[in-house]
Amino acid sequence: MRNKFADTVYEIGSKDKRICVLVADISPAGSMVYFREKFPERFVNTGVAEQSMIGIAAGLALNGMRPFCYTIATFSLFRPFEMIRVDLAYQNLPVTVIGMGAGIIYSTLGSTHHTMEDISIASAVPNLTVLAPCDPLEMAEATRWCATKSSGPVYMRLGKAGEPDLTGKCSSKFNIGDIRLIREGDDIVLLSYGTILKKVLEAADALEKLGKSVAVVNVHTLKPIDKVGLSGILKKFNKVIVIEEHVAHGGLSSKLKELAYECSSRAVIKVLHLKDEFIHFYGSYDGLLEKHGISVERIISCGKALLNG
């Protein structure tokens, strides 16, 4: 996903002189190197100065540019939060803040590099759109939208590297603000977003082998949330599982439960999310997810229990 983002920005920036890239102490890789070399006047590395990165981006946007601010998620959102709120959101400027390696992908680097609550924090800021594409294909479409159509600031959380394409054969189109049906089904629906959708699809495959009809829905736009689409899901399905690489508070599950209350839904909603704690564990990404209670096996088990309940 990281390399595809660089490719997409380079492609767009080659045609649109308004596109500029600001990074904070991240070594450019792939096409980002080409962007820096070909358009040095539109590439700025601020070093370990994320607040300055956002402030400079705001100034560029005020002068007609469409900046992308890119660094590790904890440092792109948490460290310069005041600048994102005041410099970008308050002035409603078309700046895209990229949170790379979001969730707990940086498992071995500890909690300073784990972005467990970013959707909750970003969603609370007025004017700020919040996106979480599930694969490189969605990320490229979201990046093009940010570069050409967004009218205000965007926070987009990405994976890191090696994510597979999950939506290449999907008949449902990617549209900002709309949920996306990845797999049709009738017995139960799995709702998710971001790179963890790969595990959700694996679990759906396993449940279907048990003779169950499993729908999978990608909620790639967390703000503005698709109330109409999700209300339709709550009307169609009475068994729902939300899987998200985020704490419960302020994530998709809490947004869905609020909506379920508003529309008097009788659906049973089960949730697998990150625990509300900093887990002191050194190991792989999958290993840390398991410590938080998220795995393909847990999703399957939750689905079985709900279907047999």
Side-chain angles (χ1 to χ4, degrees):
M1 195 175 285
R2 175 176 56 190
N3 291 337
K4 185 67 172 179
F5 170 74
D7 292 344
T8 305
V9 169
Y10 178 76
E11 171 196 330
I12 300 169
S14 297
K15 301 173 184 177
D16 189 341
K17 294 182 179 180
R18 299 176 302 162
I19 304 301
C20 55
V21 176
L22 297 90
V23 301
D25 199 36
I26 288 286
S27 298
S31 295
M32 198 67 76
V33 174
Y34 301 144
F35 190 99
R36 180 185 63 181
E37 292 175 349
K38 189 169 183 179
F39 313 113
E41 73 283 359
R42 289 191 272 141
F43 184 91
V44 180
N45 188 343
T46 64
V48 189
E50 292 83 358
Q51 295 94 336
S52 296
M53 177 179 69
I54 299 299
I56 293 168
L60 288 167
L62 286 169
N63 283 276
M65 303 296 284
R66 297 188 71 89
F68 284 83
C69 297
Y70 174 81
T71 192
I72 295 172
T74 49
F75 309 123
S76 70
L77 180 65
F78 299 159
R79 185 170 290 170
F81 178 73
E82 180 186 358
M83 290 71 193
I84 290 174
R85 179 178 181 271
V86 177
D87 293 356
L88 303 187
Y90 178 70
Q91 300 185 92
N92 201 27
L93 298 177
V95 175
T96 301
V97 178
I98 301 292
M100 190 268 291
I104 54 174
I105 290 176
Y106 280 100
S107 57
T108 57
L109 295 184
S111 297
T112 57
H113 285 62
H114 297 168
T115 324
M116 306 189 301
E117 67 278 46
D118 56 332
I119 290 166
S120 176
I121 291 171
S123 294
V125 180
N127 293 330
L128 189 60
T129 296
V130 181
L131 306 177
C134 73
D135 68 358
L137 295 174
E138 282 197 342
M139 181 281 307
E141 293 199 60
T143 300
R144 292 187 184 97
W145 181 87
C146 292
T148 61
K149 296 181 180 179
S150 66
S151 58
V154 178
Y155 170 70
M156 181 160 62
R157 63 154 33 195
L158 301 182
K160 187 180 177 185
E163 296 89 357
D165 290 331
L166 304 173
T167 60
K169 297 180 180 179
C170 182
S171 59
S172 176
K173 292 184 178 180
F174 176 89
N175 293 308
I176 299 295
D178 296 338
I179 60 174
R180 190 179 191 189
L181 181 64
I182 303 298
R183 179 198 294 252
E184 294 186 358
D186 297 309
D187 295 328
I188 189 171
V189 61
L190 311 182
L191 297 174
S192 191
Y193 57 88
T195 57
I196 203 170
L197 194 71
K198 176 178 180 291
K199 294 184 181 296
V200 175
L201 287 169
E202 290 175 9
D205 287 339
L207 289 170
E208 292 217 326
K209 288 179 180 179
L210 299 176
K212 304 301 180 182
S213 180
V214 184
V216 176
V217 172
N218 179 18
V219 189
H220 51 71
T221 304
L222 282 307
K223 183 188 175 186
I225 198 78
D226 184 1
K227 289 189 175 183
V228 174
L230 288 173
S231 294
I233 292 294
L234 292 170
K235 288 179 181 178
K236 179 177 179 180
F237 295 92
N238 59 13
K239 296 177 180 179
V240 180
I241 303 178
V242 178
I243 306 98
E244 60 181 329
E245 193 176 339
H246 189 272
V247 296
H249 183 73
L252 174 60
S253 59
S254 62
K255 295 173 188 288
L256 185 69
K257 289 178 180 179
E258 180 179 331
L259 181 61
Y261 174 81
E262 290 176 358
C263 64
S264 301
S265 171
R266 293 182 176 273
V268 177
I269 301 173
K270 298 295 184 181
V271 182
L272 294 177
H273 54 69
L274 299 182
K275 294 180 180 178
D276 185 25
E277 60 182 277
F278 295 109
I279 294 179
H280 299 280
F281 166 81
Y282 183 86
S284 68
Y285 170 54
D286 285 342
L288 184 54
L289 278 175
E290 288 185 6
K291 290 289 184 181
H292 277 280
I294 298 177
S295 65
V296 174
E297 291 73 22
R298 282 293 308 278
I299 301 170
I300 295 170
S301 177
C302 186
K304 286 180 180 178
L306 195 55
L307 286 163
N308 297 328

